[in-house]
Amino acid sequence: MPELPEVEVVRRGIEKWVRTRTVESVQVLDPRSVRRHVDGVLDFEESLTGCTISSVGRRGKFLWLGLAGLESETVLMAHLGMSGQLLVEGAEAPDEKHLKVRLSLSQAKDYPDELRFIDQRIFGGMFLSSLVPTKDGLPGGVGVQEPLIPQAAAHIARDVLDPYRSAEDLYVALRKRSTELKRAILDQAVISGVGNIYADEALWQSKLSGLRKTATIRRPEVQRLNEALIDVMTRALAAGGTSFDSLYVNVNGASGYFARSLNAYGREGKFCLRCVENGVASVIRRDAFMGRSSYTCPVCQPRPRVR
DNA sequence: CCTAAGACCTGGCTGC
DNA sequence: TGCAGCCAGGTCTTAG
């Protein structure tokens, strides 16, 4: 399940293989994977053909390829959704079972000549998006210098690892909301790149309950949460991203292995490792939340009082 | 304006 | 063994 670290692994992984290369042909094998391209499959294929890839940018979980050769400033957006992969492969490699889009690239010595988008659950997709100025005049995301952001990602906040974001930004965004803490950090307009897994990990690490109301959050708590978010994401990135089912595979085809160092997510019924260290035998619990699961320690992440 | 719930998807798993 | 139904989850859309 790609969250920010996995998407950044992909961004770094494909950058050197695709930058400066020209898209010679485009093949959409499943129109559902380009459904966000409002002008249709044919327009997607025709517009992209002949473009040269100039950069690979990212904000949160949105990835984009900068394009030269189009009249207006437009980028190729890619979102991996739940199960998406971007692979750089030779044309001779057999089509993957869930291959959705194939970009054939100009020949380059010792470089594979296809960029493939593979997606089983089709929550992800590709589409073209025009660039708009950033609201703060600062670079649009990781991998880009210009103060431009794809229109389709302009509404989301800077992500956890964005150097132009601060703990105070997070505090301000949280205090503007009137909802629960976990719901808020999963809202990409508050802070981007956080999904269900790393939300639980960062809340556990900062000893905060996701049920806390954002209106009651104090600066020191946000400071702790912010540090935890950065720490969790940084460690996951160093490990090459997390993988649970075999759906997520990084650009080299190898699964990430951060999953084995998770402290909360997926650990229902197991001891809270921090409490055990303190001589307390508390057990991680799972609760339904927004149609998914939340994993928490009932002892070190005290729930707010209900009135 | 805000927040919350529903829809989109497939395939692995569970239970009858 | 077969099959219906549940579950996973990010983001957009719709409802309140």
Side-chain angles (χ1 to χ4, degrees), chain A residues 31-42:
Chain A
R32 292 176 297 179
S33 289
V34 296
R35 65 180 180 274
R36 287 195 67 185
H37 188 75
V38 287
D39 292 329
V41 173
L42 208 60

Side-chain angles (χ1 to χ4, degrees), chain A residues 258-297:
Chain A
F258 186 62
R260 65 181 79 154
S261 64
L262 293 177
N263 289 303
Y265 187 88
R267 296 195 69 249
E268 181 182 18
K270 300 191 164 131
F271 287 125
C272 169
L273 299 173
R274 178 170 49 209
C275 285
V276 164
E277 214 160 281
N278 295 330
V280 180
S282 75
V283 171
I284 299 291
R285 57 179 283 171
R286 178 169 73 95
D287 295 286
F289 168 80
M290 284 170 78
R292 59 199 73 174
S293 297
S294 281
Y295 297 88
T296 56
C297 171

Side-chain angles (χ1 to χ4, degrees), chain A residues 219-274:
Chain A
R219 274 199 177 79
E221 293 172 325
V222 176
Q223 187 69 41
R224 239 161 61 209
L225 175 61
N226 189 55
E227 284 166 11
L229 283 165
I230 292 170
D231 183 65
V232 165
M233 296 280 184
T234 303
R235 286 189 292 118
L237 182 55
T242 304
S243 179
F244 294 98
D245 45 37
S246 57
L247 289 175
Y248 173 72
V249 185
N250 74 19
V251 71
N252 300 314
S255 295
Y257 53 88
F258 186 62
R260 65 181 79 154
S261 64
L262 293 177
N263 289 303
Y265 187 88
R267 296 195 69 249
E268 181 182 18
K270 300 191 164 131
F271 287 125
C272 169
L273 299 173
R274 178 170 49 209

Side-chain angles (χ1 to χ4, degrees), chain A residues 179-193:
Chain A
T179 186
E180 294 166 358
L181 182 57
K182 182 171 175 183
R183 198 180 276 277
I185 62 175
L186 287 174
D187 184 342
Q188 306 298 298
V190 171
I191 184 168
S192 68

